[in-house]
Amino acid sequence: MADNARRLLALARERNCRVILPEDAVVAARLAPGTATRAVAIDAVPSDMMILDIGPRTVTRIAAALEQARTLVWNGPLGAFETPPFDQGTAAVAKKVAELTQAGKLLSVAGGGDTFAALAAAGLTGRLSYVSTAGGAFLEWLEGRELPGVAALAAAARTTPRGDGA
């Protein structure tokens, strides 16, 4: 996938989009609650460890970028949030998003089942501007694509008598 990543980074540069890549990560030997963890630089991940969350420096960088943003579209958690302590990066970023949203500084739109679950686990679904459980459909809707379910409902609405004499 390295070629795809390079193409995406080049496209982002062409469109003047900033891509924040992790500079550190939380690693562990296994994905299990209570497992010993440590934060390491992204280029110093031991071969016997797995990256399971973003690290504290990356959380800080994302939080700083959020301070400058006015709109956020969020799709996907930032770590293996289902297993503590690997939920900490996602929860920290979610708290920052909620704080900025509640202060009226950020329009926050989040979508996807895992994103919804991570926000719910952090107790923050009600503190963002809009949260959807739809993942792929959410992104397609944002792209302006016609969604089959919405198209079927719209077609049904056009052909079904309203019953109000109109």
Side-chain angles (χ1 to χ4, degrees):
M1 302 294 292
D3 287 338
N4 285 342
R6 281 189 278 278
R7 277 194 292 274
L8 289 172
L9 290 172
L11 183 61
R13 275 190 301 277
E14 288 171 19
R15 303 225 172 133
N16 200 26
C17 293
R18 189 167 141 209
V19 175
I20 300 172
L21 296 173
E23 65 181 73
D24 63 339
V26 173
V27 298
R30 59 191 181 97
L31 176 60
T35 298
T37 67
R38 69 179 196 237
V40 298
I42 202 69
D43 60 354
V45 175
S47 62
D48 62 339
M49 299 279 190
M50 297 181 284
I51 295 175
L52 295 167
D53 200 2
I54 59 173
R57 289 193 322 254
T58 301
V59 168
T60 299
R61 284 184 59 221
I62 292 170
L66 288 168
E67 288 280 351
Q68 303 302 312
R70 297 296 159 247
T71 304
L72 170 71
V73 176
W74 185 351
N75 181 258
L78 303 168
F81 75 94
E82 306 92 339
T83 307
F86 309 113
D87 57 342
Q88 292 178 4
T90 298
V93 171
K95 287 176 187 162
K96 183 65 174 182
V97 169
E99 170 192 312
L100 292 168
T101 301
Q102 295 298 296
K105 297 178 179 179
L106 183 68
L107 172 67
S108 54
V109 179
D114 284 343
T115 308
F116 179 85
L119 292 170
L124 298 169
T125 54
R127 296 189 56 209
L128 274 65
S129 304
Y130 179 77
V131 179
S132 169
T133 57
F138 166 73
L139 295 175
E140 288 180 19
W141 173 75
L142 285 174
E143 291 174 9
R145 292 187 194 176
E146 182 178 68
L147 301 178
V150 174
L153 290 171
R158 287 190 299 271
T159 60
T160 303
R162 291 181 12 195
D164 62 2

